[in-house]
Amino acid sequence: MIAAAVAAFLILSPVPRVQAAEISAASAILMDGETGTVLYEKNAHEPRLIASITKLMTALVVLESGHDQKEEITVPSDWAGAEGSSIYLRPGEQVTLEALLYGMLLQSGNDAATLAAVACAGSVEAFAEKMNAKAAELGMKDSHFTNPTGLNDEGHYSTAYDMALLARACLENDTLAKIVATKSVALGGRVFTNHNKLLWQYEGCVGMKTGYTEKAGRTLVSAAERDGMTLICVTLNAPNDWADHAALFDRGFAGYESCLLAEEGEVLCRLPVSGGLAPFCGVSAGEAARLCVARGEEIQRELVLDQTALTAPVAQGTVLGEAVYRVNGEEKLRIPLVVITDVDCCLRTPSGWERFWDKIAGMLPG
């Protein structure tokens, strides 16, 4: 009944609309999820308290820990719970890691996050070290974690930009992406309902995570997909966060487009080959080329080759230069150009005398 009431509230209370210029957040960012291109920012590199959006990092570290989601964890007999939001774990109860993940991401259970962290690392402190190692791996240069819940701590902070980097990594993890996109689920005798109103009300929203403490204010990470483009929005200390995200998503989808310029392995040009079994060799994109640009902007491509003709043999994967992409004359992207397949040397054609003596040799007794 409680879950149904929460769902009804999320569905029936509309998200107000504001203009991007009226963003309430102290810090905010809008990022293209595919390329990492920043489309809007406001104090995006300013460290702040982040509250429960911390649990995106908690879940990612748990999922990468090697523990099975179906693993059953026994709540310690001396369990005293955790401060703040909770899924109300009971001492001696057995709960799966999967249920803890849904509990921390949908219902923002601090007890679920804490128990999962201890189960995967042995202690909150050891788990925090893993969180910081992952942050460094993702390039989150202005972040530091001391706990898996996001409860206020001077040493626990991040930025809108860093949290957008984390959100990109979360979307690349299929399991995590599935969980944050779930509106409601029943697991282990509990029903978890997603607190993210945008998931219910904004077209194309694929979820992520809400947060709040009195000191941090309202924090929110969300993502939305339309027409093959995924946008990530982060706001910190945003009194009107639902409207902030809707306005920034509207601005992003209306004003920008994601363009696939070349697929990995796509042949972009051909070069002549001397002494080879084939007269030409395909030169392909060494990786996919994608840009997020303002609608109507012209993209220019230049193929910068180290050589314009090849001599066999030529090995597949040999780097021959780069494809350079510019928007309005400004360089935006470089990708390597590589040989798409091996080109072997031609076999030498025998001379007339060689063919004559070969014929004579074939007539002699063995």
Side-chain angles (χ1 to χ4, degrees), residues 150-163:
L151 290 173
N152 297 329
D153 187 296
E154 285 187 4
H156 190 100
Y157 55 83
S158 188
T159 67
Y161 178 80
D162 281 3
M163 291 305 295

Side-chain angles (χ1 to χ4, degrees), residues 165-195:
L165 296 182
L166 173 59
R168 290 185 71 196
C170 290
L171 290 176
E172 290 173 358
N173 185 298
D174 292 340
T175 301
L176 208 164
K178 175 186 175 183
I179 295 174
V180 297
T182 301
K183 291 181 177 179
S184 186
V185 66
L187 284 172
R190 290 181 171 86
V191 176
F192 303 120
T193 300
N194 204 315
H195 290 180

Side-chain angles (χ1 to χ4, degrees), residues 54 57-58 60-62 64-65 117-118 120-138 140 143-149 155-156:
T54 293
M57 176 64 85
T58 303
L60 185 60
V61 173
V62 167
E64 293 183 353
S65 69
V118 173
C120 291
S123 69
V124 166
E125 293 74 20
F127 190 83
E129 289 182 8
K130 293 180 180 295
M131 297 172 78
N132 289 316
K134 187 63 182 180
E137 178 187 325
L138 295 176
M140 298 171 66
S143 300
H144 189 264
F145 298 90
T146 62
N147 64 69
T149 62
H156 190 100

Side-chain angles (χ1 to χ4, degrees), residues 244-264:
D244 287 354
H245 283 239
L248 289 173
F249 281 142
D250 286 347
R251 171 177 175 164
F253 288 124
Y256 294 86
E257 59 183 336
S258 183
C259 303
L260 178 62
L261 307 173
E263 295 184 351
E264 183 176 357

Side-chain angles (χ1 to χ4, degrees), residues 16-20 30 202-203 224 226 229 231 243-256 295:
R17 283 297 201 256
V18 300
Q19 299 300 313
L30 181 69
Y202 191 85
E203 180 187 353
R226 285 188 193 172
M229 181 165 66
L231 296 181
D244 287 354
H245 283 239
L248 289 173
F249 281 142
D250 286 347
R251 171 177 175 164
F253 288 124
Y256 294 86
R295 294 188 183 276

